[in-house]
């Protein structure tokens, strides 16, 4: 399962794991990191800085699925 959250990464991972407790699974929680970004410009730049833009998500999800 891949969770893409617009808030702190891993926030929903425990709930997802609990929902799938009887099923073999892996969870990739993706979201905002703990580092505070003070200068990020546009929403697109902010999203990319956290690795939540389309290209970054594709790369991280592809690596997870290998």
């Amino acid at each position: 399962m891949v969770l893409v959250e617009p808030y702190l990464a891993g926030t929903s991972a425990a709930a997802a794991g609990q929902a799938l407790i009887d099923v073999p699974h892996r969870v990739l929680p993706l979201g905002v990191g703990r580092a505070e970004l003070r200068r990020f410009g546009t929403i697109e730049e902010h999203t990319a800085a956290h690795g939540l833009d389309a290209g970054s998500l594709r790369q991280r999800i592809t690596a997870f699925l290998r």
Side-chain angles (χ1 to χ4, degrees):
M1 172 184 292
V2 176
L3 295 172
V4 180
E5 306 172 283
Y7 35 83
L8 190 60
T11 302
S12 301
Q18 188 65 32
L20 298 171
I21 199 162
D22 295 326
V23 180
H25 66 279
R26 296 184 310 149
V27 178
L28 175 63
L30 302 173
V32 176
R34 293 196 178 273
E36 183 177 343
L37 302 178
R38 294 180 178 259
R39 295 183 183 198
F40 51 78
T42 67
I43 188 67
E44 291 82 11
E45 291 168 327
H46 180 73
T47 301
H50 284 290
L52 298 175
D53 59 305
S56 296
L57 289 173
R58 177 186 303 242
Q59 185 177 40
R60 294 165 75 185
I61 293 168
T62 299
F64 175 72
L65 295 175
R66 287 191 182 143

